[in-house]
Amino acid sequence: MTKPPFRLSPYQVQFLMVVGFVTVGYALYVRYLAIEFSPVALACDAGAQTMICKARALSTVLFKNSVFGITALVIALLNLMRPSIVLLTGGLIAAGLGIVLYNVILSGLAIGLFILGFARPAPATA
């Protein structure tokens, strides 16, 4: 009994598109309006305790330790061995955050592995 190849339904593709756009949008918001925007950076460094300062501090710690890229790469390797929509969604979130928040090399490699995860041998014809 052979396992059918991993294929996404149209609803799963739409779900992944929404997740990808929301993730990259939030990452762009954090990068350009919290990390690189001088008034917010100065206020956060002065000790402001707002949600954007907490998001800035968390994302700074995570991207300095390459957490986004390493997480995306580990999930991509797991998805390469056993593809599933759950792994694909988690990896898309981690890779999207990593691409925008300075973990480009590892996240780009992870995206390549996600694409490679769809390359399966064609089913044999009778």
Side-chain angles (χ1 to χ4, degrees):
M1 186 167 204
T2 62
K3 183 179 176 189
F6 178 67
R7 292 192 182 130
L8 297 173
S9 70
Y11 294 113
Q12 290 173 332
V13 172
Q14 291 173 356
F15 172 73
L16 288 174
M17 286 177 60
V18 168
V19 167
F21 282 127
V22 168
T23 301
V24 171
Y26 180 71
L28 287 170
Y29 170 77
V30 168
R31 178 175 176 172
Y32 291 113
L33 292 177
I35 296 172
E36 293 184 2
F37 192 51
S38 295
V40 174
L42 291 172
C44 292
D45 290 341
Q49 294 296 319
T50 61
M51 286 301 292
I52 196 158
C53 290
K54 291 179 182 180
R56 179 181 185 268
L58 178 67
S59 63
T60 302
V61 168
L62 292 178
F63 78 70
K64 280 186 178 178
N65 295 314
S66 298
V67 172
F68 298 125
I70 292 170
T71 304
L73 192 58
V74 167
I75 294 174
L77 288 171
L78 290 173
N79 188 59
L80 191 62
M81 291 186 285
R82 172 102 35 198
S84 75
I85 186 69
V86 175
L87 288 174
L88 194 57
T89 304
L92 180 67
I93 291 170
L97 289 170
I99 289 288
V100 177
L101 293 174
Y102 310 107
N103 293 146
V104 179
I105 295 173
L106 292 174
S107 296
L109 182 60
I111 289 173
L113 288 175
F114 282 122
I115 293 170
L116 189 63
F118 288 106
R120 301 281 181 221
T125 57

